[in-house]
Amino acid sequence: MNVIRALAVALVAVPAMAAAASAQSFPNRPITMVMPYSAGGPGDTITRLVAQGMTQTLKQQIVVDNTSGAGGSIGSAKVAQSAPDGHTLLMIHVSHATNPALYPKLPYDPIKDFEPIGLVVDLPAAFVARKDLPPRTFSEFLGYVKANGAKVNFAHAGIGSSAHLCGLLFASATGVEITSVPYRGAGPALNDMMGGRVDAMCDQIVNVVRHVEAGAIKGYAVTGSETAAALPNLPTVATAGLPGFTYQVWYGLFAPKGTPKPVIDTLVAALNVALKDPTIKARLAELGADTVSPERARPEALAAHLKAEIDKWGPVIKAAGVVGAQ
């Protein structure tokens, strides 16, 4: 009986010992950081900058994998199904919180199937419009939208994109029905707005800043709680006519569920070193992105933030009756 009991204990101990040994040797090969959106966009740029910084600490190359589609859910599912050893990570934005409401048949649970590592950056958006749209200020724009309702066309980069979500939140906050015009990416949407074929858009600052500076489109206001260094002449939405309205495109880093805590701790430390790097901080600031504080670049902060965002966006998306194609 004692022999059987000893054998059972040994069998239980083997996986634990293997996991501990794996954690101690982490990382022992290149790491894949999945960015579930196309190359060249703001998320891709942010991911590559953070990957570069974390590589210096981890002493292993971090390869960025752009597995895009279905609002980021294809790349997210890929990570959820990966080995929980820290060598496959997910960098994703607010869509991690909105996809459960947008995709009823989502093949993963954003909370149950991932280990949070930490928040990375906050990236405010800006309300912009074709240059010949009559309103001159955000207050006038707000009045114009309320007066014209569905006659106003809001462009966005596809269901679940940051621009789409901002439009939904704007419609919810104002109680105004607007016409949503989807595109295959921010570039085509902006091109049509500059060509006068759509009226307005609310998208990440990095996508619109150079067009506002060039006078190709009008800039009305930014969605952060403070004015943005990238567009210093624009007020915040909250101070310019819509009190309480804020919208931040946050990015967070995740690992598959079951990744050992020592591995998570190593990744947290590497992430914080990257976010403190002056070169990386300066480059992110040029994109309009604010690196988070060390307190927010931690698992518990990301876990709490994700839950709050799921609770916030679920009712907004349900009320809009929006469903993504899977």
Side-chain angles (χ1 to χ4, degrees):
M1 187 67 178
N2 289 338
V3 173
I4 294 174
R5 186 180 295 114
L7 181 58
V9 170
L11 288 173
V12 170
V14 167
M17 292 171 61
S22 176
Q24 289 176 358
S25 63
F26 175 81
N28 53 34
R29 63 180 186 276
I31 295 169
T32 297
M33 189 176 288
V34 175
M35 158 43 50
Y37 314 107
S38 58
D44 181 59
T45 303
I46 289 168
T47 302
R48 292 180 187 278
L49 285 169
V50 173
Q52 173 189 328
M54 292 179 67
T55 292
Q56 302 303 312
T57 300
L58 297 172
K59 308 302 181 186
Q60 283 284 355
Q61 183 182 7
I62 298 180
V63 180
V64 176
D65 175 5
N66 298 96
T67 300
S68 60
S73 63
I74 294 176
S76 298
K78 180 178 180 178
V79 176
Q81 296 161 8
S82 297
D85 58 12
H87 290 93
T88 305
L89 307 175
L90 174 68
M91 177 77 82
I92 192 168
H93 68 19
V94 61
S95 67
H96 205 51
T98 58
N99 279 344
L102 286 169
Y103 300 97
K105 297 181 180 179
L106 203 64
Y108 60 86
D109 185 299
I111 294 178
K112 295 179 181 178
D113 293 333
F114 295 89
E115 298 285 355
I117 296 170
L119 284 156
V120 180
V121 297
D122 289 320
L123 189 61
F127 279 90
V128 295
R130 55 182 170 85
K131 62 182 180 181
D132 58 347
L133 198 71
R136 295 166 299 172
T137 65
F138 182 77
S139 180
E140 291 181 4
F141 173 71
L142 190 59
Y144 181 85
V145 172
K146 289 180 177 180
N148 291 277
K151 294 180 182 178
V152 181
N153 297 318
F154 265 73
H156 63 76
I159 300 297
S161 66
S162 59
H164 179 230
L165 296 173
C166 187
L168 290 180
L169 195 62
F170 178 74
S172 175
T174 59
V176 177
E177 181 182 349
I178 58 177
T179 297
S180 178
V181 184
Y183 286 83
R184 290 183 177 274
L190 284 164
N191 286 338
D192 265 13
M193 189 166 62
M194 287 187 282
R197 288 177 284 277
V198 287
D199 297 317
M201 189 174 184
C202 174
D203 201 11
Q204 299 174 65
I205 284 180
V206 63
N207 285 335
V208 303
V209 61
R210 62 187 178 94
H211 302 300
V212 173
E213 291 176 339
I217 57 177
K218 284 183 177 179
Y220 286 129
V222 295
T223 64
S225 57
E226 300 178 351
T227 54
L231 290 170
N233 296 323
L234 298 189
T236 65
V237 171
T239 60
L242 199 55
F245 186 99
T246 58
Y247 172 62
Q248 298 274 28
V249 185
W250 56 269
Y251 283 81
L253 190 61
F254 296 84
K257 191 69 175 181
T259 301
K261 188 178 184 302
V263 171
I264 296 294
D265 291 343
T266 298
L267 292 166
V268 170
L271 173 62
N272 274 272
V273 170
L275 296 182
K276 292 175 185 176
D277 185 292
T279 302
I280 293 174
K281 285 176 68 72
R283 182 69 184 97
L284 289 170
E286 290 174 7
L287 300 174
D290 299 318
T291 54
V292 302
S293 65
E295 293 76 22
R296 296 182 68 210
R298 300 194 59 79
E300 55 273 20
L302 178 52
H305 187 72
L306 176 61
K307 184 180 183 307
E309 287 285 275
I310 291 173
D311 293 342
K312 167 187 172 180
W313 283 105
V316 173
I317 293 169
K318 183 177 179 181
V322 180
V323 179
Q326 290 182 298

